[in-house]
Amino acid sequence: HLGMVTLQGTSALGVTLNNLVTAPYTTHLINQSTQTATLTPLTGTVNGTSSVTVASGANVKAYFDGYNWIVA
């Protein structure tokens, strides 16, 4: 699965990465907000930690392997 999520707003954003999606799962996230977005998995890790940030204006790919998220 390949989708696209656009983040927008003027406040800091918190995004929960849902581990209930069917693996393997890949989506693109585009942060069009004026603030940093923090991505936190429902369970497991993202890039080996509890959360990652995506800067304003950044585009990243999020991949779920069935256990953990990888964001690059």
Side-chain angles (χ1 to χ4, degrees):
H1 182 269
L2 183 62
M4 182 171 33
V5 177
T6 302
L7 307 173
Q8 296 179 329
T10 57
S11 300
L13 300 172
V15 178
T16 300
L17 299 172
N18 187 345
N19 292 28
L20 301 177
V21 297
T22 301
Y25 181 85
T26 304
T27 191
H28 290 276
L29 293 133
I30 302 168
N31 186 1
Q32 293 181 343
S33 76
T34 59
Q35 301 294 319
T36 298
T38 302
L39 310 180
T40 306
L42 191 61
T43 62
T45 65
V46 56
N47 294 359
T49 64
S50 61
S51 66
V52 296
T53 58
V54 178
S56 175
N59 299 311
V60 297
K61 185 185 289 186
Y63 172 75
F64 181 63
D65 64 8
Y67 300 99
N68 298 296
W69 287 89
I70 299 163
V71 175

